[in-house]
Amino acid sequence: MGGCTSKDDKNAKGDETTGKSNEMVDAAVLDKLESGFKKLEASDSKSLLKKYLTREVFDKLKTKKTSFGSTLLDVIQSGLENHDSGIGIYAPDAEAYTVFADLFDPIIEDYHGGFKKTDKHPPKNWGDVSVFGNLDPAGEFVVSTRVRCGRSLEGYPFNPCLTEEQYKEMEQKVSSTLSGLEGELKGTFYPLTGMSKEVQQKLIDDHFLFKEGDRFLQAANACRFWPTGRGIFHNDNKTFLVWVNEEDHLRIISMQMGGDLGQVYRRLVTAVNDIEKRLPFSHHDRLGFLTFCPTNLGTTVRASVHIKVPKLASNKAKLDEVASKFNLQVRGTRGEHTEAEGGIYDISNKRRMGLTEFDAVKEMYDGIAELIKIEKEL
Ligand code: ADP
Ligand code: DAR
C-alpha cells in the first residue's frame, strides 16, 4: 500500500515550506500500522526498526505525511513484513528523512557507528587515488574487487513514489547521458525490458546484474511497474557498470578480477566525476548523497572483495567478530542476504557516513589487509 501521490498533487496535498502534507493519514493505513507494530513488538526480530520504533515514537509519527503523501507505513512496511530485516526501513522520498527523523536518526546513528542527528556528513572527498595498491598481488585470497556508490537524480522521489512515466523518463535521461561516456567507460545500456531470461540470469550469476524479486524491496513498494525503467549499462569487459532504478536511481560500479583496489577505485572516481558533470544528483547538507536506504547515505560507497579465507571462515561467528573489529561487513557470495558459495565471502566497509569517500575505502583496504594477515598466521 503506497501512500505516495505525484509531486504535481503536492499543492493540493502539502505545504511547500514545511514539506508536510496537511492531509490526514487514512484509517486503513492507521489500522495496518497498528497491527503491524503489535506483531513486530511480539516478534523476536533483531531489526533496528524493532530496536528504535518505541510506542512513543510510533504514536508521534503515525499521523505524519510528507508532501508526496508518504506515511510511516511507506517507511516501515518492509520491516513489518520481514522480521528478519537487518534494518527494516527505507525513505519513500527525500523528505521522509526529515518528517520521520525521530525514527531515521537513531537508526542512522546505530548503523553508521555513531553518526549523531547533530553531526554533519563531510563534503565529498575521493582523496589521493594513487594510495591504494593491490590487496593480494600473489592472488592467494582475493578473487575480485568492486567499489560502488549510489546516486539519486535531483527532482525525483524514490521507488515507492515514482510513476511509470517517471521510470521511463529517468531511463531515457540516464541511458542517453551514459551513451556519451568515452574511453574505458564507453559502453551500452541494456534495458531489463526485453532482456532474455538467459542473458539476465548469466549477468546475475556473474555478479554484474542485481538479482530480481528481492522480498525486502518488494515489501517496500520498490518494485512497482517492474521491469519498466530498469536496466544496466556496462563497458565491453564489464569493469564499469551502472544499475538503473533497482534499489537506487543509480548504482555506479567499478569491478574486476583480482585484488587491485587502486585500479578499481581510480576507475570509479573518474566515472562518478564524469557522470556528475552531466546529471544533477540529490545531495543533503547534513546527510550527504541521498539514497533509498539509510545504510547507503553519505558517501554511499561500498568497497568489497570476493575473498577466500578458509581458516578464518571455518568459524563464521569468529569471521564476523574479527571483521566487525575493522568495521567490515560480511555478506554471502551473491551479496546481501545470501550464503557463501565455495567459501567465497563478500567483505566490505560497513560505514558510509561521517567519513569521506577516501576514508570509507581506506577502512576496507586496511581491514582486508588485516584479515589476510590473520589468515596467514592461523
Ligand atoms: P550492493 O548493494 O553493493 O550492490 P549486493 O550485496 O546487492 O551489493 O551485491 C550486488 C552484487 O555485487 C552481487 O551479485 C554480489 O555478488 C556482487 N559483488 C559484490 N562485491 C563483489 C566483488 N568484490 N566481486 C564480485 N562481485 C561482487
Ligand atoms: N532489506 C534491508 C536491507 C538493508 C541494507 N541493504 C540495502 N539497502 N540493500 C534490511 O533491513 O535487511
Side-chain angles (χ1 to χ4, degrees):
M1 176 185 287
C4 304
T5 51
S6 82
K7 197 79 177 165
D8 307 345
D9 301 352
K10 177 175 172 182
N11 298 325
K13 298 274 189 304
D15 176 327
E16 291 283 343
T17 51
T18 64
K20 298 188 186 65
S21 167
N22 46 31
E23 226 187 33
M24 298 293 287
V25 174
D26 65 49
V29 170
L30 289 170
D31 289 347
K32 208 162 151 63
L33 276 167
E34 195 59 42
S35 63
F37 177 68
K38 287 200 176 85
K39 283 195 197 106
L40 180 67
E41 258 194 327
S43 77
D44 63 354
S45 173
K46 305 281 182 297
S47 69
L48 294 183
L49 170 65
K50 180 167 185 206
K51 186 175 175 184
Y52 294 103
L53 186 65
T54 61
R55 167 54 74 177
E56 184 197 357
V57 168
F58 177 77
D59 287 341
K60 183 176 176 188
L61 298 181
K62 66 186 180 185
T63 55
K64 288 184 183 290
K65 267 191 173 185
T66 71
S67 64
F68 281 89
S70 301
T71 66
L72 180 63
L73 184 61
D74 295 307
V75 172
I76 70 173
Q77 60 194 349
S78 183
L80 294 183
E81 289 178 33
N82 298 286
H83 289 170
D84 59 338
S85 294
I87 314 300
I89 72 171
Y90 293 95
D93 58 65
E95 289 165 18
Y97 283 114
T98 309
V99 174
F100 303 102
D102 289 305
L103 179 59
F104 275 108
D105 287 346
I107 288 178
I108 286 168
E109 180 171 1
D110 189 314
Y111 179 86
H112 293 281
F115 187 85
K116 293 191 173 25
K117 62 183 181 184
T118 49
D119 287 340
K120 198 165 177 306
H121 181 72
K124 183 181 69 178
N125 183 350
W126 298 110
D128 175 356
V129 295
S130 66
V131 160
F132 303 121
N134 189 323
L135 277 158
D136 179 23
E140 292 174 79
F141 306 98
V142 176
V143 176
S144 51
T145 302
R146 175 179 187 266
V147 183
R148 65 82 163 153
C149 68
R151 287 292 184 272
S152 302
L153 300 187
E154 218 167 54
Y156 292 91
F158 300 138
N159 274 314
C161 296
L162 286 173
T163 63
E164 189 165 19
E165 265 325 294
Q166 285 174 315
Y167 275 112
K168 290 176 179 168
E169 203 177 274
M170 294 166 83
E171 180 185 33
Q172 178 48 43
K173 214 174 261 189
V174 172
S175 56
S176 60
T177 299
L178 297 176
S179 67
L181 294 175
E182 313 260 311
E184 186 190 16
L185 305 181
K186 187 171 174 53
T188 308
F189 177 74
Y190 303 90
L192 220 55
T193 305
M195 186 184 284
S196 74
K197 284 298 171 206
E198 294 70 29
V199 168
Q200 183 182 2
Q201 193 55 51
K202 179 84 171 61
L203 284 168
I204 293 170
D205 292 345
D206 291 346
H207 309 293
F208 296 124
L209 180 62
F210 45 82
K211 49 186 180 287
E212 202 160 82
D214 180 295
R215 61 187 160 95
F216 302 92
L217 291 177
Q218 285 178 328
N221 254 333
C223 304
R224 296 174 310 124
F225 311 116
W226 194 280
T228 300
R230 280 76 174 195
I232 179 171
F233 172 95
H234 64 72
N235 62 5
D236 288 347
N237 50 13
K238 301 190 187 83
T239 54
F240 170 61
L241 311 97
V242 180
W243 292 355
V244 180
N245 282 328
E246 184 233 8
E247 173 176 329
D248 284 310
H249 295 165
L250 295 183
R251 285 288 174 83
I252 304 169
I253 302 162
S254 171
M255 64 193 289
Q256 64 192 51
M257 300 309 282
D260 191 342
L261 178 62
Q263 196 170 33
V264 173
Y265 185 59
R266 285 188 290 277
R267 184 186 300 118
L268 181 83
V269 173
T270 305
V272 178
N273 288 340
D274 204 343
I275 298 170
E276 228 151 38
K277 286 183 208 139
R278 307 157 190 250
L279 283 172
F281 293 135
S282 298
H283 187 271
H284 187 279
D285 189 43
R286 189 176 83 78
L287 299 173
F289 287 101
L290 292 178
T291 53
F292 183 44
C293 177
T295 63
N296 286 314
L297 290 165
T299 66
T300 79
V301 166
R302 187 168 93 87
S304 60
V305 285
H306 267 185
I307 188 168
K308 289 186 176 182
V309 277
K311 294 175 191 151
L312 255 175
S314 61
N315 176 342
K316 178 64 170 55
K318 180 78 180 154
L319 174 61
D320 285 335
E321 183 203 328
V322 173
S324 64
K325 257 175 51 185
F326 301 110
N327 285 322
L328 297 177
Q329 183 181 53
V330 181
R331 299 182 181 190
T333 311
R334 290 172 180 266
E336 197 168 31
H337 303 118
T338 69
E339 298 303 316
E341 296 163 17
I344 296 176
Y345 287 91
D346 161 344
I347 304 183
S348 61
N349 59 294
K350 185 179 176 212
R351 291 197 311 158
R352 309 200 212 295
M353 282 182 94
L355 73 180
T356 65
E357 285 73 8
F358 178 83
D359 296 341
V361 177
K362 179 114 181 22
E363 205 154 74
M364 173 272 208
Y365 188 74
D366 294 345
I368 297 299
E370 283 300 318
L371 285 192
I372 290 174
K373 188 162 164 279
I374 294 166
E375 176 71 11
K376 283 179 174 174
E377 288 162 357
L378 288 176

